[in-house]
Amino acid sequence: MFISTPHVKRLAVAGAIAGVASLFLAGCTTTDDLETPAESGGTVRIAEVNELSSFNTGTADGNVDINNQLDYFTQGDFFHLDDTASLVYDEGFGTVELLSEDPLSVKYTVNDDVVWSDGESIDADDMLLGWAAQSGYFDDADAEATVGTTYFSPAGSTTGLDQMAFPEVGDDGKSITVTYSGPYADWTLFSPMSVPAHVLAEQAGFEPDGMIAILEAATEGNVDAPVETNADLRAVADFWNNGYATSSLPSDSSLYLSSGPFVVSSWDPAQSVTLSVNDTYTGDLAPVGIDQIVVRFIADANAQVQALQNGEVDIINPQASADTLSSLEALTGVKVLTGDTGSYDHVDLNFAAGGVFADANVREAFLKTIPREQILDAIIRPLDPEAELLNSQIFFPGVNGYDEATSTNGSDAYDTVDISGATALLAGATPTVRLAYSNANTNRVDAFLAIQASAAEAGFIVVDGGLPADQWGDALALPETWDAFIFGWSTVGAGVLGVPQLFDSASDSNFGGFSDPAADALMDQLLATTDAETQVELQVGVEKALWAGGFGLPMYILPGVIAFGPNVDGIEYSPWQTGPIWNFWDWTMAA
């Protein structure tokens, strides 16, 4: 999964956490200068692995690569992150003003001419909805969720955001001001944008202009004194959580409104989705001479290369492999960009009570059988002979904190396979493990087969839980269907919010249900800390808890490759989650 969501900039499934590694080819390289550009036609065609599954990327289920890619084209926001993970404000959308550092107070104002694609103005009701969905302000459920209510289910942790007071509406409904009761490390990465409030209100059974009244009437949550569930807020939150998931273009066009340069105009399931120019967009990020984006769903890397060669697509960002890179470099009229990525593959375990990994000995035994070095040799070292195992769940090599974390977190116990140690821990048991992964991803197929064979030597029966490209992302949120999962995380490269998003006990993106109260306390401190060195210390403490608890194993950082044909200019490499589309407003059709 992926990001550039118009909310807190979060991790998305398919990637990483903090910083960037130095691997594969240093920086960015190109091959094959374009000498014979084709005629411009106003349409750019992009290949993507997975199919669209939701029009709300703010939920844990909706926070996947392809949904965020479409979101990046179609949703405006106060800022974006560039190819260096630096914050760039979009003055064509609105302004963010720091009013006070103590208490921390921030004002968000949307420009007067900014509207949804149905012509409805973007106002304070939209921002209040985005704030409510992300902050956990109204929640009063206890840690075990046995009493009280949790309303919205955002992709990221509410820790830190839950200290915001109810925002103050101003400027004739064009601004909100949020004030925090304490420091918040990632306040610059918070945006109060989400789905359109007038649509959500109507879908939940209320008047389109009723969102502010619904939120103002609700009671602030207090876990020490939970109250009866607010039926109106429950209806709003339920639709926000579930109403935007889809496998085809909704018949109700209000469910995919745009506030950005493009709007979804058609969707051919299992084939492609088409974006057309949003005529109501008045901002600064619309490409010149491009009036249509077609995203084709092509899971196989070889098929993506073939489609590029045949002129069926203009841009591909396939899974990097030596064969793929060799095939691309052999093509005429194609430019290839390679470099580092902010993504890594890993194996996570399911901690469900009564499940196979509820037993700490079984967790440790299984992790001891994972042949990480063998997997690295087969998948990554053909591209980068110097590649090393990733031994941190939080830091990347070369980033401040990585050396300290890896020297103290206990990762060295898993540098090599230990079948005898695993066998001793099992004491004659033969546990069955359903290992899930995307079977459209050849790297993960290879990793599964290697793990299955190695684990069998210790007595594990590893069942093939491979899923198609359009199903594995949803399965992450269904822990009853898997015991272990091979997948990836991709980072925006900024902030520390990704740590509690993945590992906090209460986070919906902590798919395996890992829980450690001491680690939760460290993460609470992390989000209230702005000192960089203290942030490192706290994250190292979380690292130790993750490895001691058997959360799972990181395996390797993913190298990246982007290739594009002669129809489009302006493509630049980015290692972060937006990949080749990070600067789509700079694209032009080749002359």
Side-chain angles (χ1 to χ4, degrees), residues 192-543:
M193 292 306 301
S194 182
V195 296
H198 68 288
V199 172
L200 184 57
E202 196 165 19
Q203 293 290 341
F206 306 102
E207 292 298 317
D209 60 354
M211 185 60 68
I212 290 180
I214 293 170
L215 298 178
E216 288 181 337
T219 303
E220 180 180 3
N222 181 352
V223 296
D224 295 324
V227 299
E228 184 178 351
T229 299
N230 182 305
D232 291 351
L233 186 59
R234 175 79 280 165
V236 167
D238 283 348
F239 199 89
W240 189 90
N241 294 336
N242 305 307
Y244 291 88
T246 184
S247 58
S248 61
L249 193 66
S251 57
D252 184 350
S253 61
S254 72
L255 295 178
Y256 54 94
L257 295 182
S258 167
S259 59
F262 292 94
V263 61
V264 175
S265 55
S266 65
W267 179 358
D268 183 3
Q271 298 299 318
S272 65
V273 63
T274 299
L275 312 178
S276 300
V277 168
N278 176 12
D279 293 332
T280 67
Y281 180 71
T282 58
D284 304 326
L285 303 183
V288 177
I290 295 174
D291 51 26
Q292 192 175 76
I293 304 286
V294 177
V295 180
R296 290 192 55 195
F297 312 128
I298 305 175
D300 181 72
N302 292 330
Q304 286 196 21
V305 174
Q306 190 66 47
L308 182 64
Q309 181 179 21
N310 295 341
E312 299 166 8
V313 296
D314 301 302
I315 305 170
I316 66 173
N317 184 22
Q319 176 178 282
S321 71
D323 289 343
T324 298
L325 185 58
S326 176
S327 296
L328 287 170
E329 290 175 336
L331 299 182
T332 300
V334 167
K335 179 172 279 189
V336 182
L337 309 178
T338 60
D340 304 333
T341 75
S343 303
Y344 75 96
D345 267 23
H346 51 99
V347 180
D348 288 2
L349 303 187
N350 188 339
F351 285 71
V356 64
F357 290 128
D359 185 325
N361 283 341
V362 179
R363 292 198 299 273
E364 183 179 355
F366 185 72
L367 296 179
K368 283 180 177 292
T369 70
I370 295 179
R372 296 197 300 156
E373 199 66 51
Q374 175 188 338
I375 293 168
L376 187 69
D377 274 338
I379 295 174
I380 302 301
R381 286 192 175 129
L383 280 167
D384 176 17
E386 304 303 317
E388 298 291 338
L389 292 175
L390 178 62
N391 278 326
S392 172
Q393 297 278 9
I394 294 176
F395 301 97
F396 272 16
V399 170
N400 185 26
Y402 183 82
D403 291 342
E404 183 179 352
T406 55
S407 65
T408 60
N409 62 13
S411 58
D412 54 352
Y414 303 98
D415 283 346
T416 58
V417 171
D418 182 5
I419 298 300
S420 62
T423 303
L425 286 165
L426 292 179
T430 57
T432 296
V433 175
R434 183 174 183 82
L435 180 54
Y437 61 97
S438 170
N439 58 23
N441 184 317
T442 56
N443 283 356
R444 291 173 190 155
V445 172
D446 291 344
F448 164 76
L449 293 173
I451 294 170
Q452 183 185 50
S454 181
E457 296 182 32
F460 284 99
I461 301 169
V462 180
V463 177
D464 189 342
L467 295 163
D470 62 346
Q471 296 180 23
W472 73 268
D474 291 339
L476 278 166
L478 301 171
E480 66 274 12
T481 66
W482 56 273
D483 301 306
F485 217 121
I486 307 169
F487 67 106
W489 282 113
S490 186
T491 183
V492 297
V496 297
L497 184 65
V499 179
Q501 180 188 345
L502 299 190
F503 308 123
D504 188 90
S505 300
S507 174
D508 286 339
S509 295
N510 177 0
F511 297 113
F514 170 83
S515 180
D516 185 313
D520 288 345
L522 291 174
M523 287 182 272
D524 288 347
Q525 294 178 54
L526 175 65
L527 290 182
T529 300
T530 56
D531 179 72
E533 290 304 315
T534 305
Q535 288 179 346
V536 168
E537 292 174 10
L538 293 168
Q539 290 175 93
V540 168
V542 176
E543 272 275 346

Side-chain angles (χ1 to χ4, degrees), residues 87-145:
L87 196 71
V88 180
Y89 287 101
D90 181 4
E91 295 181 358
F93 185 86
T95 59
V96 179
E97 183 181 1
L98 176 63
L99 301 181
S100 168
E101 293 185 349
D102 187 15
L104 178 60
S105 182
V106 186
K107 182 179 180 179
Y108 301 85
T109 306
V110 179
N111 294 344
D112 288 337
D113 58 351
V114 176
V115 299
W116 297 106
S117 52
D118 64 352
E120 184 74 17
S121 292
I122 296 179
D123 292 318
D125 56 348
D126 300 297
M127 292 185 282
L128 281 178
L129 172 61
W131 159 81
Q134 299 171 75
S135 67
Y137 178 85
F138 299 106
D139 296 343
D140 58 11
D142 61 9
E144 292 74 31

Side-chain angles (χ1 to χ4, degrees), residues 15-26:
I17 302 189
V20 61
S22 176
L23 81 161
F24 192 26
L25 302 176

